[in-house]
Amino acid sequence: MGSAITAPCSVVCLGEALIDRLGPPGGDPAEDLPVDDRLGGAPANVACGLARLGTPVAFVGRLGQDAVGEAFSSLFSERGLDTALLQRDAERPSRIVLVRRSRDGERQFQGFAGDEGAGFADQALEPALLPQARWLLIGTLPLAAPGSASALLSAVRQARNQGTAIALDVNWRPTFWDADADPSAGPPPSAVAAIRPLLEQAALIKLAREEAIWFFGSAQAQVISGLLPQAPDVVVTDGAEPVTWWMEGASGCLPAFRPSDVVDTTGAGDAFTAGLLHCWDLPPAHRVRFAAGCGALVCSGAGGIDPQPSAQEVEAFIAEA
């Protein structure tokens, strides 16, 4: 394991940092031009969103010794993230995800580019000594490769031993588990079995509606919480439809904010998660309203990181909504 971070942070985000290669609207990012390469990856998106909002955050991930890795290093430094546990891989490249965009801004992950035969750097993430923090934010994608799965499970054990709460964004992406899978497919039993232990240890679970139905047979946040032994807080998002939640023993529903112009929905859920953790000390309804404002504002620009708002921009947006 690497050296632990010594500076204080509120949230540790662990997982993938990668390139989202956005195809032209209605086109194929593997064949059609122009493509738009954007820095992304759900944990990296959340980390950058938190930093933009003003929450101290550390990122744990692995990137190649390539231009993508350099771009992320510069971005993280610019945003003020703690990167003491950012790993670099001399053998494996950073991952490029091919993202097909519909003409109305919706996206679908359809495959990868850049593999030189040894896999991608994020798949070889090594266990690291985590700092004390309020939250450990994770997704499920590291479970799709043995190396990164081991690092993720090590982090979860450390978090539990340190009293760090675990926030889990399910973020089901079949292509990461099986490159030939239908991008719209639900999880097979093997993936459900791998992910279930994370679901049973998280204090906060954020799911998209289809993920909730796939994993729990219900989109009702209170029902999902009741199906898990630790009775976690649960938030269910549904694109442009209302957000529902069960937190601190209370349920709620909030109509989604609609940005004036939807350019790209990539990273909207990650911005939502960042907003939720940023203002966790507020009452649940206020948390969700702020988080929904973060998600809406990200849709007004391309990629999951560049359009991320400041806290002041979010407050101004929801005040006018």
Side-chain angles (χ1 to χ4, degrees), residues 194-286:
I195 292 169
R196 183 74 186 188
L198 299 185
L199 294 167
E200 294 182 349
Q201 297 179 78
L204 167 66
I205 300 175
K206 181 251 179 191
L207 315 93
R209 185 178 188 278
E210 63 269 22
E211 293 169 342
I213 294 171
W214 283 330
F215 284 93
F216 296 100
S218 173
Q220 297 183 38
Q222 183 177 357
V223 170
I224 294 169
S225 180
L227 291 172
L228 293 166
Q230 79 279 25
D233 292 329
V234 177
V235 179
V236 180
T237 60
D238 189 14
E241 299 304 312
V243 179
T244 58
W245 73 89
W246 174 259
M247 287 187 282
E248 299 179 6
S251 61
C253 178
L254 176 75
F257 294 119
R258 298 186 183 276
S260 57
D261 184 26
V262 176
V263 173
D264 176 20
T265 62
T266 302
D270 303 326
F272 179 98
T273 301
L276 198 65
L277 296 178
H278 171 73
C279 59
W280 191 257
D281 289 333
L282 297 178
H286 291 75

Side-chain angles (χ1 to χ4, degrees), residues 60-316:
V60 184
R62 190 173 182 90
L63 289 157
Q65 294 278 15
D66 49 27
V68 175
E70 292 304 313
F72 269 109
S73 292
S74 297
L75 169 68
F76 291 158
S77 176
E78 178 184 310
R79 288 284 176 104
L81 275 69
D82 190 323
T83 57
L85 296 180
L86 179 62
Q87 303 169 17
R88 301 296 293 272
D89 193 312
E91 180 182 4
R92 302 167 187 85
S94 305
R95 192 191 298 254
I96 298 172
V97 181
L98 303 176
V99 183
R100 184 186 289 268
R101 290 189 292 176
S102 67
R103 296 191 182 279
D104 61 1
E106 291 299 321
R107 80 278 189 264
Q108 190 176 65
F109 300 93
Q110 72 172 46
F112 309 108
D115 188 352
E116 299 170 356
F120 296 105
D122 63 271
Q123 296 174 301
L125 180 65
E126 297 177 353
L129 293 173
L130 299 189
Q132 291 284 347
R134 184 174 187 180
W135 290 99
L136 170 65
L137 180 281
I138 57 173
T140 63
L141 296 187
L143 294 176
S148 53
S150 178
L152 173 61
L153 296 176
S154 170
V156 168
R157 288 192 296 271
Q158 291 180 64
R160 289 177 61 86
N161 290 337
Q162 295 174 354
T164 296
I166 297 168
L168 172 64
D169 181 354
V170 172
N171 197 32
W172 170 250
R173 298 286 183 263
T175 311
F176 281 75
W177 298 73
D178 178 358
D180 297 322
D182 181 341
S184 62
S190 58
V192 173
I195 292 169
R196 183 74 186 188
L198 299 185
L199 294 167
E200 294 182 349
Q201 297 179 78
L204 167 66
I205 300 175
K206 181 251 179 191
L207 315 93
R209 185 178 188 278
E210 63 269 22
E211 293 169 342
I213 294 171
W214 283 330
F215 284 93
F216 296 100
S218 173
Q220 297 183 38
Q222 183 177 357
V223 170
I224 294 169
S225 180
L227 291 172
L228 293 166
Q230 79 279 25
D233 292 329
V234 177
V235 179
V236 180
T237 60
D238 189 14
E241 299 304 312
V243 179
T244 58
W245 73 89
W246 174 259
M247 287 187 282
E248 299 179 6
S251 61
C253 178
L254 176 75
F257 294 119
R258 298 186 183 276
S260 57
D261 184 26
V262 176
V263 173
D264 176 20
T265 62
T266 302
D270 303 326
F272 179 98
T273 301
L276 198 65
L277 296 178
H278 171 73
C279 59
W280 191 257
D281 289 333
L282 297 178
H286 291 75
R287 297 174 202 163
V288 174
R289 184 172 174 81
F290 184 90
C294 292
L297 286 171
V298 163
C299 295
S300 62
I305 293 177
D306 289 342
Q308 288 173 335
S310 67
Q312 293 77 14
E313 289 168 338
V314 179
E315 294 288 359

